[in-house]
Amino acid sequence: MFYSIFYLKSFHKVYKIIMLVSVVFLLNTKGFTQSLGDPIVNITFGSGATQFFGPLPADSGATTYTYINGTPNDGYYTIANSTKGMYSVWWQTTDHTGNPGGYMMIVNCSYAPGIFYTRKVAGLCGSTKYQFAAWLKNLINNNGLQPNVTFSIETTAGVPLGSGTTGNIPVGNTWIQYPFTFTTPANTDSIVIKMTNNAPGGYGNDIAIDDITFRPYGAPVSTVFNQSATTQTFCAGVSQPVSINATSSLVAGYQQKVQLLVNGVWTDQTAPSSSPNFTVKSPDTAGVFYYRLVSGQTINISSSECVVASNQLTLTVNALPVAAFNVKDTTCLDNATIFTDKSTSKGGTVKQWLWNFGDGKTDTVQSPTHTYTKAGAYTVSLMVTNSNGCVSSTIKKSIYISALPVATFNYSTPDCVTNAVTFTDSSIAADGAITSRVWTYGDGTKETKTNNQPFQHTYDTTGTYPVSLLVTTNSGCTSSFTQNITISPLPIVNFETPAVCLADASAKFTDSTTIAGNSKLIYLWNFGDANATAANPNTSSLQSPSHKYSKAALYTVTLTVVSANGCTVTKSKNFTVNGSVPVAGFNVLNPRDLCSDHEVFFVNKSTVDFGSITKIEWIYDFGNNATIIETDNNPYYNKLYRHTYPQFYSPVKTQNYQVRMLAYSGGICASQKDTVITLLATPKLSFSPISPVCINAGPVQLTATETTGINGIGIYMGTGVTSSGMFDPTISGVGSFPIKFIYTANNACADTISQVITVNVAPMANAGPDLTILEGGSGTFQASATGDSLTYSWSPNINLSNNKILNPVVTPGETDINYTLTVTNNKGCFASSSVNVIVLKKPLIPTAFTPNGDGINDTWAIKYLESYTGATVEVFNRNGQRVYSSIGYPVPWDGRYNNSDLPAGVYYYLINPIHGRKAFSGSVTIIR
């Protein structure tokens, strides 16, 4: 069973009546054309997440059934949201509305038919016709007993007002509604409901009950808006009269009124009237509003339980759209002003826009852009219309269109490379102030300045550069200005000063100035001569002038050069007019140890009475080659000069050379010095290329020689070599190593010669463990080797499957043999390793021996067994007692046990030679 919840509406209040229903009888009533009012009893049983709801409250009515929180037996009920897990003969079902959490009453009827529920219902209207209806389902899904329920209504005095029966509720997974009608007597506001189970219990007679209603009947009522429609639409804020008209006639003694559904409660909007036409005021706020006419007897018109309602009229009040937009407060002239629509509309969408930009221009797009042609303040307005035809109020915003600044600048001239150019900003702003100045110099650099103070910029190369200035005001408005600036080349001023002495006729200055493009140049010289005269002026405008100085002294000569574009460069040089009396002089370093294969060093010691030596000429072999002269135009005191003479060897021991120096202080002022030097013979060495060696080849004696016979001592130097030339590759390791041979002659002249020796890695070889092979058998060598590109060779090449592989198969004859493995790599280095092959012959076991001390056959001599290392030998008497045992058989058995002779007789042996040979067993006889 389940909870039945009755909502009894009376005097505009809602009362909840909990009612236990086990079976509902409902009889279809046909041909009744009146309208139904709102339910005064409405049983939905609620909904929940758990399957079972719980028992009905104690005051819900008189019942003889028992609640169970599970599957009900006969005479039991439950309230659940599904029959899941209950009887397999029941339909799997949920409540009538299809709500998976909706509760319903599930009844397993009692075995005995009879009244099972009685309930008094109060608050009814007299002389009123009511409908009682419920939805039922036969839960049995086969041919079990079919439910059958009678529903009866009486006055509180027991006077029957009506009754009916459902009949047998048919089999089928279907909910069926059963309605039943009755009329209350005049002045009666209470009735008694009785429910009777007509079918016996047992297998079947199981039902589900849901959605029970109890509604009043009345005259049919229908209504429309404005004589025609059941729906009407207005816009919010537009208060209008709403005409509601009844389309059906009232029965005499009845009235009707208009109601509005407010927060789920129907609220009167007009007084009761017999007129068919009513007028109400439309709501001011947006929303969906429901109207209806209710009709009832004049005496009951104020009771919600005694009236019937018309169809509902729907009045939709659409919200007005809200116009809104975003725009920058300030936009610069000639820049597009962007308007971004932010309008909204509840219950619809914005479909139309009307923009007024304040300058006589309008637009109808959603988010327009507009370009103003004049600076100034403007008021922009927007009005929108939504898809329901509702028009917003107008929204306005003020914006300002700022005038653009005017960018311009000046620059200084002439403009020469590497000389700073001065730029002066002369931009103006009609609106606001210029806050940023971005200079782009056309040479790949730019910078930002915040003021208009003059500044400088230097160009590193010549050319034409587009210089631009971008100015920005505090309103964000910008303007740019560009003009080309030509950077002219500077002359590269240089000149040569002559080397002169006072005795020279004049000093000739040679100009070497250059300029890109070879434009015409203007020259101005200043010779720095305080003693100059009108006949011998101190200045000149010639390109390469001459000047006669009257005093040996230090002067500063200046040359100023001006280009055709006005670019000027000045350069000065110190210039000396030297004295006229130079003195040549030089020293020879180590004059007694001059070897012919070494450089000879000379040190300048020349001087002059004023100034400096300007030039030195050397003739290193004046006696034989006087025309070969080396000239130094930049000499200085103690300057070192070097010269290499032809090398010579024994048997010539020495050679002499005449050296001459000429020292100049000017063009005609010179001095001479001669010296004879003696050179010594040098040794001549030979060192043949050294062949590569293997690291395991052992020490190698190196041989280098002096070939002319000059007496002296030679030594070797390098990694892994002794001074006498013994090279050990195990000391140097693998790699290439330079070896030097140094030979020092008795005259102290020495020479060095070098060669490189390469040490190659040797392979590694391991022939593996010794092999023990049974006579007639074979085995495989377990050799290993490491190295690159190896070749293999086994010797002797006998009894082998292949002597050129690393692990050949060996099949020895009857004798042991030793094999050697040689491994060679691609450098020719090799390594060797040996392995023994031991042949195990089959032991020869005697069947008898005579241990009598005569020296003949005194022991049990088993031939070849001694070669089986680890073999075991055991001998037993006929009682199974072990009388002899050994591991290995180095000493033959002499027939004794515990140091006593064993008696003559037959003994039994077990010999396990291991090494892959099967054990031997048999008997041996001791003969005494």
Side-chain angles (χ1 to χ4, degrees):
M1 297 186 182
F2 62 92
Y3 281 109
S4 299
I5 303 175
F6 291 77
Y7 293 95
L8 176 61
K9 299 183 178 179
S10 178
F11 302 103
H12 305 288
K13 295 183 179 179
V14 180
Y15 297 89
K16 185 184 292 183
I17 301 174
I18 306 300
M19 180 176 187
L20 176 63
V21 180
S22 62
V23 181
V24 176
F25 67 92
L26 292 173
L27 180 64
N28 266 311
T29 302
K30 299 180 181 178
F32 193 77
T33 60
Q34 290 179 299
S35 298
L36 286 169
D38 293 335
I40 62 172
V41 176
N42 189 9
I43 307 169
T44 65
F45 307 109
S47 63
T50 59
Q51 183 176 6
F52 298 100
F53 179 77
L56 294 172
D59 60 351
S60 62
T63 178
T64 59
Y65 282 67
T66 302
Y67 173 80
I68 184 171
N69 193 44
T71 304
N73 294 321
D74 291 322
Y76 286 80
Y77 78 95
T78 190
I79 297 174
N81 56 26
S82 74
T83 58
K84 181 179 179 181
M86 298 185 186
Y87 296 117
S88 61
V89 296
W90 284 8
W91 297 108
Q92 292 293 313
T93 187
T94 57
D95 84 339
H96 158 250
T97 63
N99 178 5
Y103 289 119
M104 57 188 166
M105 183 175 181
I106 301 172
V107 179
N108 194 333
C109 292
S110 175
Y111 285 97
I115 296 174
F116 65 89
Y117 186 84
T118 301
R119 176 73 186 191
K120 178 181 178 181
V121 178
L124 304 181
C125 300
S127 303
T128 302
K129 180 178 289 186
Y130 289 93
Q131 180 203 69
F132 191 86
W135 290 87
L136 284 79
K137 176 188 278 192
N138 183 351
L139 290 176
I140 294 294
N141 58 21
N142 54 32
N143 294 323
L145 293 175
Q146 295 178 334
N148 190 307
V149 178
T150 294
F151 176 82
S152 61
I153 299 193
E154 302 173 353
T155 67
T156 55
V159 178
L161 298 179
S163 65
T165 180
T166 63
N168 290 337
I169 300 175
V171 175
N173 191 17
T174 304
W175 287 92
I176 302 173
Q177 187 186 41
Y178 293 94
F180 172 79
T181 62
F182 67 95
T183 302
T184 58
N187 302 318
T188 298
D189 63 357
S190 299
I191 62 167
V192 175
I193 302 172
K194 293 183 178 179
M195 301 182 185
T196 304
N197 169 29
N198 298 322
Y203 182 68
N205 197 11
D206 304 322
I207 58 174
I209 308 171
D210 199 6
D211 297 320
I212 300 173
T213 58
F214 190 21
R215 306 170 67 182
Y217 273 99
V221 181
S222 61
T223 185
V224 293
F225 284 124
N226 295 327
Q227 306 294 334
S228 61
T230 59
T231 61
Q232 195 164 357
T233 303
F234 290 100
C235 294
V238 183
S239 181
Q240 299 184 39
V242 179
S243 177
I244 298 177
N245 314 109
T247 60
S248 57
S249 301
L250 285 176
V251 178
Y254 279 77
Q255 287 183 319
Q256 55 193 6
K257 57 186 177 182
V258 175
Q259 290 184 329
L260 172 65
L261 187 61
V262 180
N263 296 326
V265 178
W266 288 102
T267 305
D268 291 345
Q269 300 296 299
T270 65
S273 172
S274 58
S275 171
N277 300 317
F278 297 86
T279 299
V280 297
K281 184 180 178 182
S282 67
D284 292 330
T285 58
V288 179
F289 301 89
Y290 299 100
Y291 291 88
R292 71 179 184 179
L293 286 177
V294 292
S295 174
Q297 292 177 309
T298 302
I299 60 173
N300 295 327
I301 189 65
S302 297
S303 174
S304 61
E305 288 80 10
C306 305
V307 297
V308 294
S310 70
N311 57 295
Q312 290 184 9
L313 302 180
T314 303
L315 176 63
T316 301
V317 179
N318 292 316
L320 297 181
V322 178
F325 64 92
N326 292 341
V327 65
K328 291 175 61 176
D329 294 337
T330 302
T331 306
C332 301
L333 187 65
D334 293 339
N335 289 353
T337 302
I338 300 173
F339 299 90
T340 304
D341 173 53
K342 293 295 183 180
S343 303
T344 58
S345 178
K346 293 183 179 180
T349 57
V350 178
K351 290 294 187 181
Q352 297 178 5
W353 297 264
L354 179 59
W355 296 86
N356 188 320
F357 300 118
D359 61 350
K361 303 293 184 179
T362 61
D363 206 338
T364 57
V365 300
Q366 182 177 3
S367 295
T369 58
H370 182 67
T371 302
Y372 291 88
T373 59
K374 292 182 180 180
Y378 295 90
T379 299
V380 181
S381 64
L382 171 63
M383 184 171 63
V384 298
T385 303
N386 67 12
S387 56
N388 297 318
C390 298
V391 182
S392 72
S393 57
T394 301
I395 185 173
K396 297 181 179 181
K397 288 188 178 183
S398 296
I399 64 173
Y400 187 80
I401 305 303
S402 180
L404 299 179
V406 178
T408 186
F409 64 88
N410 300 316
Y411 61 92
S412 63
T413 58
D415 304 319
C416 303
V417 68
T418 70
N419 288 352
V421 180
T422 299
F423 292 93
T424 303
D425 173 27
S426 54
S427 304
I428 58 175
D431 275 332
I434 296 175
T435 58
S436 173
R437 299 164 173 83
V438 179
W439 292 87
T440 303
Y441 301 113
D443 59 355
T445 63
K446 64 189 301 184
E447 61 181 331
T448 300
K449 296 185 178 295
T450 58
N451 58 60
N452 62 350
Q453 298 300 313
F455 65 94
Q456 294 181 329
H457 181 74
T458 301
Y459 290 88
D460 295 329
T461 57
T462 61
T464 299
Y465 298 91
V467 180
S468 65
L469 170 61
L470 173 67
V471 297
T472 304
T473 67
N474 54 357
S475 299
C477 298
T478 61
S479 174
S480 64
F481 175 70
T482 302
Q483 56 182 326
N484 290 331
I485 177 172
T486 299
I487 304 300
S488 300
L490 287 172
I492 302 174
V493 177
N494 200 10
F495 59 91
E496 300 297 330
T497 60
V500 297
C501 60
L502 187 60
D504 289 331
S506 64
K508 174 71 173 179
F509 298 96
T510 304
D511 170 60
S512 57
T513 300
T514 60
I515 189 170
N518 296 318
S519 65
K520 185 177 180 180
L521 301 176
I522 299 174
Y523 300 89
L524 179 60
W525 292 85
N526 186 313
F527 302 118
D529 186 3
N531 300 313
T533 65
N536 184 34
N538 188 48
T539 61
S540 176
S541 59
L542 298 177
Q543 181 177 0
S544 296
S546 296
H547 180 73
K548 172 62 179 177
Y549 289 89
S550 60
K551 181 180 179 181
L554 178 65
Y555 299 91
T556 299
V557 179
T558 302
L559 171 61
T560 299
V561 181
V562 182
S563 73
N565 295 315
C567 297
T568 302
V569 177
T570 297
K571 185 171 185 177
S572 297
K573 287 186 178 182
N574 291 327
F575 168 67
T576 301
V577 176
N578 299 306
S580 300
V581 185
V583 177
F586 65 89
N587 294 336
V588 180
L589 296 183
N590 301 319
R592 298 183 180 279
D593 299 315
L594 302 179
C595 298
S596 66
D597 62 338
H598 292 170
E599 290 179 316
V600 179
F601 296 93
F602 305 92
V603 180
N604 175 31
K605 297 293 183 178
S606 302
T607 60
V608 65
D609 57 333
F610 179 82
S612 59
I613 299 299
T614 60
K615 179 175 68 172
I616 289 179
E617 292 179 345
W618 291 95
I619 304 175
Y620 292 111
D621 188 6
F622 184 78
N624 299 307
N625 296 293
T627 59
I628 299 176
I629 302 172
E630 287 187 11
T631 302
D632 180 15
N633 290 313
N634 296 290
Y636 54 84
Y637 193 75
N638 283 335
K639 186 173 183 179
L640 185 66
Y641 298 85
R642 60 184 67 196
H643 182 73
T644 301
Y645 289 90
Q647 188 176 10
F648 61 91
Y649 309 98
S650 181
V652 178
K653 295 184 178 181
T654 62
Q655 281 189 356
N656 294 329
Y657 292 90
Q658 181 182 356
V659 180
R660 171 170 291 181
M661 168 195 271
L662 294 172
Y664 295 83
S665 63
I668 62 173
C669 304
S671 173
Q672 172 182 315
K673 179 181 178 180
D674 291 313
T675 297
V676 176
I677 63 172
T678 300
L679 272 62
L680 305 175
T682 58
K684 188 175 184 180
L685 306 181
S686 174
F687 196 172
S688 299
I690 308 171
S691 299
V693 298
C694 299
I695 194 170
N696 59 352
V700 177
Q701 178 64 54
L702 305 181
T703 302
T705 60
E706 198 286 323
T707 61
T708 66
I710 191 170
N711 294 328
I713 297 174
I715 62 172
Y716 294 86
M717 295 184 65
T719 303
V721 68
T722 65
S723 61
S724 62
M726 185 63 70
F727 178 78
D728 189 344
T730 61
I731 296 176
S732 66
V734 174
S736 294
F737 306 94
I739 305 297
K740 291 183 179 180
F741 177 68
I742 303 171
Y743 188 88
T744 304
N746 291 341
N747 63 4
C749 292
D751 199 3
T752 300
I753 190 169
S754 297
Q755 289 291 352
V756 174
I757 186 169
T758 299
V759 178
N760 292 322
V761 65
M764 299 292 291
N766 183 355
D770 291 345
L771 289 182
T772 300
I773 301 174
L774 299 180
E775 183 181 9
S778 63
T780 302
F781 289 125
Q782 302 300 311
S784 61
T786 58
D788 295 329
S789 303
L790 300 180
T791 59
Y792 310 100
S793 177
W794 290 88
S795 62
N797 184 16
I798 56 175
N799 301 326
L800 297 176
S801 61
N802 186 343
N803 78 319
K804 298 299 182 182
I805 63 175
L806 180 61
N807 294 300
V809 175
V810 57
T811 305
E814 297 181 354
T815 60
D816 299 343
I817 190 170
N818 177 269
Y819 288 92
T820 298
L821 168 65
T822 300
V823 179
T824 306
N825 65 13
N826 56 355
K827 301 296 184 181
C829 298
F830 63 89
S832 298
S833 178
S834 296
V835 61
N836 292 314
V837 175
I838 302 168
V839 179
L840 297 179
K841 295 183 178 182
K842 182 178 180 181
L844 300 179
I845 305 172
T847 59
F849 67 103
T850 58
N852 53 14
D854 60 359
I856 300 172
N857 203 23
D858 284 335
T859 61
W860 189 32
I862 304 174
K863 193 175 183 180
Y864 306 128
L865 184 58
E866 72 279 0
S867 62
Y868 288 84
T869 305
T872 61
V873 180
E874 294 177 292
V875 180
F876 304 88
N877 60 22
R878 62 178 61 249
N879 296 321
Q881 181 185 9
R882 187 170 62 183
V883 296
Y884 175 79
S885 67
S886 71
I887 298 175
Y889 201 62
V891 179
W893 181 41
D894 58 3
R896 295 172 62 82
Y897 174 64
N898 288 338
N899 296 320
S900 299
D901 292 335
L902 289 172
V906 177
Y907 294 84
Y908 303 92
Y909 61 84
L910 178 61
I911 300 173
N912 186 2
I914 61 176
H915 296 282
R917 191 178 291 279
K918 293 182 179 180
F920 300 98
S921 61
S923 63
V924 59
T925 302
I926 295 177
I927 302 173
R928 296 290 184 183

